[in-house]
Amino acid sequence: MHKLFWGGVLALALAGCEAPREQVTIHGRDAVPERLSDWHIVEVIDGELSLNAGVTPYDLNTQLFTDYAHKLRTVWMPAGSSARYAEEAFDYPMGTVLSKTFYYPKAGGGGVLRTADYSADFSRSGLNLEKVRLVETRLLVKREDGWQALPYVWNAGQTQATLEIAGDAIPMQLVGGEGGSNAFTYVVPDANQCAGCHADNHTNKAIRPLGPRARHLNKEYVHKLGSYAEGAQNQLLHWQQIGYLSELPELAAIPRNASYSDNGFPLEERARAYLDINCGHCHNPAGPADTSGLMLHRAEQDQRRLGLCKPPVAAGTGSGNRRFAVVPGRPEESILSFRVESTDPGAMMPELGRSLVHEEGVALLREWIAGMPGDCQ
């Protein structure tokens, strides 16, 4: 009786204890695991996609459009290391791991929901898998010789994501918006295609992070996840506070992109922020689209290079037989509007990362162009 009693107490005590979680594990470039969980960055635990210790979520003022997917972004750095601030691109330490999980809120009947509302996505310490469907998680790992891009695709059971170097194509049903329900194919890029966006310097073709830069990060993170459990805080200050960012200047001296959907910002700033994150990685003086002469990154101020009354380098399918990139007052005659509204692989922009038209982004750019004075005569 005595043995049975203490055996029961021990069993209850063990049942009430969680197994210690393994620490983040960095694998060599040539020894990349097949399973995302072997990194211990984000893992499915008790019905959540949970963040490990030190894995810090972040968000962007305006994000790249990806077929209305929601995104959970995280950063992790080895103990004792930090990124050095620079206005254009931080100098990240070796061993940094950036993750971006693409997911959708669930809709009835196996579909996914088109919504800009993130409020129901999270539970105690991560994404609530009762409410969301995971699609893919992309890692960027800082190696001695540069960044390595790794795409992991989640299984139907939402228990594990496996490495898919060749990418994937996933049929989905998007529910919501004025169009009701819309069938589309979500495309996971292959590892080589990641360079199509992340190699924003066409000369050295080196992969670099695009989102976690000062102008995109300069905002409050509001979800109570990870080290933000106590509440909202400016992300750059938070990174400095937890030791992930050094040499940070005063916030007033740091650029900040607008939120494209926030009417509190001027229309010009919203449109430029949208073009910067969605197009500027190619359309910049060093980018893959440098020969186009169309510069859509934040720093560009020359109206002609921003497309105003600028003829295309090559006419035909890509131009929609329109004469100028931007015709003031006339979005319907502008190549820029035509390309962001197209789903033709030979014409649409961006070329990668979407199968659908971003209706809200299209409306913003149309409003911006329609309000421009002058003409191209």
Side-chain angles (χ1 to χ4, degrees):
M1 186 75 175
H2 179 77
K3 290 181 179 179
L4 287 173
F5 172 79
W6 286 109
V9 170
L10 178 61
L12 288 171
L14 291 173
C17 295
E18 293 183 2
R21 185 168 178 179
E22 292 191 45
Q23 295 181 346
V24 172
T25 302
I26 300 300
H27 302 270
R29 180 181 282 275
D30 298 322
V32 172
E34 290 294 312
R35 304 188 308 172
L36 175 67
S37 60
D38 289 335
W39 292 90
H40 306 294
I41 296 288
V42 292
E43 298 174 82
V44 173
I45 300 175
D46 296 333
E48 296 180 341
L49 184 68
S50 180
L51 281 58
N52 208 342
V55 176
T56 299
Y58 68 90
D59 201 358
L60 310 181
N61 282 306
T62 289
Q63 68 175 9
L64 177 74
F65 173 72
T66 311
D67 286 342
Y68 292 101
H70 287 199
K71 299 166 186 177
L72 170 62
R73 300 171 172 84
T74 74
V75 57
W76 177 89
M77 298 180 200
S81 65
S82 65
R84 281 204 318 257
Y85 177 89
E87 186 171 300
E88 179 54 29
F90 299 165
D91 181 9
Y92 287 92
M94 190 180 69
T96 298
V97 181
L98 300 168
S99 84
K100 183 161 60 172
T101 297
F102 297 70
Y103 68 94
Y104 290 89
K106 291 180 180 177
V112 296
L113 196 60
R114 171 183 159 179
T115 176
D117 185 1
Y118 277 64
S119 62
D121 297 354
F122 302 104
S123 48
R124 295 186 310 277
S125 59
L127 291 174
N128 184 350
L129 298 187
E130 290 186 358
K131 299 291 184 68
V132 306
R133 174 183 171 180
L134 306 175
V135 182
E136 60 163 323
T137 296
R138 302 178 193 173
L139 300 185
L140 274 180
V141 185
K142 181 68 179 293
R143 309 294 194 181
E144 287 188 7
D145 58 348
W147 292 90
Q148 182 179 23
L150 301 167
Y152 287 84
V153 177
W154 286 93
N155 62 13
Q158 303 283 272
T159 56
Q160 186 61 263
T162 55
L163 184 65
E164 297 290 349
I165 293 295
D168 202 357
I170 305 168
M172 304 186 81
Q173 194 76 23
L174 188 68
V175 178
E178 295 180 1
S181 182
N182 188 15
F184 74 104
T185 299
Y186 182 100
V187 177
V188 179
D190 65 49
N192 291 327
Q193 286 177 313
C194 293
C197 291
H198 284 274
D200 60 344
N201 185 310
H202 198 50
T203 301
N204 62 30
K205 295 182 171 57
I207 291 177
R208 300 194 300 173
L210 297 173
R213 297 180 176 182
R215 64 187 182 274
H216 304 308
L217 291 172
N218 190 4
K219 62 167 290 187
E220 285 194 343
Y221 188 85
V222 298
H223 305 297
K224 293 187 176 182
L225 289 181
S227 53
Y228 288 94
E230 298 302 316
Q233 187 180 13
N234 180 279
Q235 294 181 129
L236 296 173
L237 291 178
H238 187 74
W239 283 32
Q240 180 187 57
Q241 178 181 306
I242 64 175
Y244 275 7
L245 188 59
S246 63
E247 303 178 23
L248 181 70
E250 295 294 325
L251 280 183
I254 298 175
R256 180 188 181 191
N257 270 17
S259 166
Y260 90 92
S261 60
D262 185 347
N263 291 327
F265 289 95
L267 175 60
E268 169 85 9
E269 290 185 23
R270 293 165 54 212
R272 289 296 307 276
Y274 186 85
L275 292 171
D276 183 35
I277 194 68
N278 283 280
C279 314
H281 49 273
C282 284
H283 286 272
N284 69 77
D290 58 348
T291 56
S292 72
L294 181 65
M295 302 293 115
L296 300 175
H297 61 301
R298 174 190 170 93
E300 187 58 63
Q301 297 300 319
D302 186 299
Q303 294 299 304
R304 180 80 162 187
R305 289 163 65 85
L306 281 167
L308 192 66
C309 300
K310 179 193 172 302
V313 171
T317 304
S319 68
N321 295 315
R322 290 159 171 79
R323 295 177 59 201
F324 303 108
V326 173
V327 180
R330 298 182 178 276
E332 71 282 357
E333 296 180 13
S334 300
I335 298 171
L336 182 63
S337 294
F338 167 72
R339 301 199 79 169
V340 298
E341 293 173 22
S342 176
T343 55
D344 179 349
M348 73 178 192
M349 286 291 173
E351 296 175 309
L352 299 173
R354 72 172 179 92
S355 302
L356 301 173
V357 175
H358 187 200
E359 295 176 13
E360 295 80 2
V362 165
L364 170 67
L365 295 178
R366 278 183 161 267
E367 182 183 1
W368 176 54
I369 295 171
M372 292 180 179
D375 57 47
C376 293
Q377 297 302 320

